[in-house]
Amino acid sequence: MTMAMGRPARSPSSPLLETTSMDGSEDSMSASIMRSGMGRTLRPKTEPLWRSHDAKAQKNGQRGTIYWVGKAIMGEDGSATGQRKKGASYHGEWGDNKKAGYGVQVYPSGEKYEGQWSNGLRNGEGTFWAPVGKAKKLRKVYVGSWENDKRHGRGTCFFKNGEFFQGLWDQGKMHGQGTLRYANGDMYVGDWHQGMRSGKGTLNKANGDCYEGYWLNDKREGSGSFFYASSGKVFVGEWANDLPKAGVYTQASPNPDQAGGVIRTRELPCLRLALPTEVLEGALSAVRNARKGFRARTMPLQRLFSDDEVDALAGAFEQVTREDGSIGLHEVQALCSQLGSEMNIDRVTALLKGAGFLADEADEHDVSIGFEDFLRLIAVLLEEEAKLDHATTEDDDAGSDYLDSYMEDQ
């Protein structure tokens, strides 16, 4: 065998033989063998076994029941007792390794949910049960809509004490229009805000009494009427902190269908109140002014403005806002001017103090109003403007009546 010039000859017994072509180039097979450095051909790369097993374990679509083992029960010395707490189970549909679609979940506590899921959370329509008693019999707790594992939308909740609520929910709390029947037989129908009676609603009591009017933070607040079944009398007026403050108290017409008979009280001597209308309006105004700050700070914004009004006020607020997202005394004055109410600094300061947004001893440099407080402040301003317009109209009417009377006399 003829070897290429300048290359040492290999022994015929060497396992790595190189053959040379006529032009001196090495054979391609020998070149690959030499580059391998091992004297054997490379095998094609295969996928690890764990990866294929993991792909098979990914949960999508309808699957059989999957169980989760409960935690181990530890003894007082910290060693395992060999016992475990009750585990959980799920039977239903999956999507991208998360609960999605329709399924049934049993929790370690014994609670059970059956309904719709999305992204591993309760979303859509579903029913929730809870175990009660030693027998752990399931009691239906909630039937309705869910969003991200919380009651949201329309649904009915059955409380442990026998009460039940039917209406709207928002992130796990009663919010919007709804009806709550109490364990003692009372029933409330009306507005709710963050789990409390707020807005307009009617409370029908089991003894026949009835209140119809406004609520705030679960208490009667604002104008409302109360019918007393035992006496057949009605109070119509202003309420504050769940108590009647000023109004008219009259005897209602006898009603044979009411809960109890009308109690006849002794007749009082004929007395008349001088200027009864003025006295009543003054008393009502005093109560409203005394509660103005509290109502302005706590009343739900949905009762004060519509969504379109909030958007319009937000645009005006952003034009004068400071770097920290608030506005000062002069910005409040400018915004009130844009809304058509020309106010000097003293009146703006008095408005802020009256609404409870500025302490009596504070000065104008301490004013820092956020957007929500600005909305509440505007609501107080609009109420004051409405009162001034009403008073002006009454004065004009009185002047017109006097002029008409004078002309008739002439």
Side-chain angles (χ1 to χ4, degrees):
M1 179 180 295
T2 303
M3 305 300 295
M5 295 297 293
R7 295 177 64 90
R10 284 189 185 274
S11 134
S13 62
S14 174
L16 301 177
L17 295 179
E18 293 184 2
T19 58
T20 307
S21 61
M22 295 300 293
D23 58 357
S25 62
E26 296 181 350
D27 183 81
S28 60
M29 180 64 72
S30 299
S32 63
I33 294 175
M34 290 297 294
R35 284 194 296 270
S36 69
M38 298 297 294
R40 59 180 180 271
T41 58
L42 295 177
R43 295 180 180 179
K45 187 176 181 181
T46 59
E47 188 179 53
L49 191 60
W50 67 267
R51 193 182 299 275
S52 60
H53 289 175
D54 182 68
K56 294 177 182 178
Q58 295 298 314
K59 296 178 283 292
N60 281 288
Q62 182 71 33
R63 298 294 296 266
T65 303
I66 295 179
Y67 297 89
W68 287 268
V69 178
K71 294 183 179 180
I73 299 177
M74 309 300 292
E76 294 182 357
D77 57 353
S79 60
T81 61
Q83 298 179 337
R84 289 183 174 274
K85 296 181 179 179
K86 189 175 180 180
S89 66
Y90 174 80
H91 178 85
E93 298 175 317
W94 297 78
D96 195 21
N97 215 32
K98 295 180 180 180
K99 302 165 193 172
Y102 188 85
V104 179
Q105 170 86 55
V106 179
Y107 299 90
S109 61
E111 298 171 333
K112 176 183 176 182
Y113 171 80
E114 181 177 356
Q116 296 174 322
W117 298 77
S118 177
N119 200 31
L121 302 175
R122 291 170 290 188
N123 281 284
E125 298 295 320
T127 304
F128 182 78
W129 291 270
V132 292
K134 294 182 179 180
K136 299 297 181 181
K137 185 178 180 181
L138 290 178
R139 176 183 66 87
K140 187 178 294 185
V141 176
Y142 177 79
V143 181
S145 298
W146 298 76
E147 183 177 278
N148 296 332
D149 252 5
K150 294 182 179 180
R151 303 165 191 170
H152 189 86
R154 184 169 295 278
T156 301
C157 183
F158 303 90
F159 298 98
K160 190 175 181 180
N161 58 1
E163 300 176 349
F164 73 89
F165 173 83
Q166 185 176 16
L168 296 176
W169 297 76
D170 183 77
Q171 297 301 312
K173 295 182 179 181
M174 297 174 287
H175 190 88
Q177 185 73 20
T179 300
L180 177 63
R181 184 176 290 276
Y182 297 89
N184 61 1
D186 296 350
M187 184 175 66
Y188 172 83
V189 182
D191 296 328
W192 295 78
H193 182 78
Q194 296 298 309
M196 294 186 291
R197 295 170 293 186
S198 289
K200 192 173 184 180
T202 301
L203 176 64
N204 294 296
K205 300 180 72 68
N207 63 359
D209 293 350
C210 177
Y211 171 81
E212 183 177 357
Y214 287 94
W215 300 73
L216 185 60
N217 293 347
D218 233 19
K219 295 181 179 180
R220 289 166 287 192
E221 183 79 32
S223 60
S225 62
F226 193 99
F227 172 72
Y228 298 88
S230 60
S231 63
K233 293 185 178 181
V234 177
F235 171 82
V236 180
E238 196 73 15
W239 295 70
N241 197 28
D242 219 29
L243 296 173
K245 290 296 183 178
V248 179
Y249 190 58
T250 59
Q251 179 72 51
S253 300
N255 183 3
D257 297 328
Q258 65 188 20
V262 177
I263 299 176
R264 298 293 183 181
T265 59
R266 289 182 295 177
E267 293 185 2
L268 296 174
C270 184
L271 298 174
R272 294 185 181 277
L273 180 66
L275 304 176
T277 304
E278 289 79 358
V279 172
L280 177 60
E281 290 183 352
L284 293 174
S285 179
V287 173
R288 290 165 184 163
N289 287 332
R291 302 292 290 178
K292 178 172 60 177
F294 171 76
R295 294 174 183 177
R297 294 189 303 271
T298 57
M299 189 172 294
L301 291 176
Q302 294 88 338
R303 286 180 55 186
L304 300 176
F305 299 101
S306 64
D307 292 340
D308 293 338
E309 291 172 335
V310 171
D311 293 340
L313 290 172
F317 183 85
E318 292 175 356
Q319 294 179 2
V320 297
T321 186
R322 299 183 294 202
E323 292 183 357
D324 61 352
S326 66
I327 60 175
L329 184 65
H330 294 281
E331 288 81 9
V332 173
Q333 182 187 25
L335 288 172
C336 292
S337 178
Q338 291 183 24
L339 296 174
S341 179
E342 296 292 340
M343 304 171 61
N344 55 36
I345 292 296
D346 292 338
R347 188 187 172 194
V348 175
T349 303
L351 181 67
L352 289 169
K353 291 181 179 180
F357 297 119
L358 185 64
D360 292 336
E361 64 276 6
D363 57 22
E364 62 181 60
H365 300 290
D366 298 326
V367 178
S368 180
I369 302 296
F371 179 61
E372 182 174 325
D373 289 342
F374 168 69
L375 291 177
R376 300 184 183 280
L377 184 66
I378 293 300
V380 175
L381 175 62
L382 293 176
E383 183 180 357
E384 290 189 356
E385 294 288 343
K387 290 180 180 178
L388 291 174
D389 292 341
H390 179 69
T392 302
T393 302
E394 288 185 344
D395 291 341
D396 292 342
D397 292 341
S400 177
D401 293 341
Y402 174 79
L403 181 60
D404 293 341
S405 177
Y406 176 79
M407 293 299 294
E408 290 178 359
D409 293 340
Q410 299 300 318

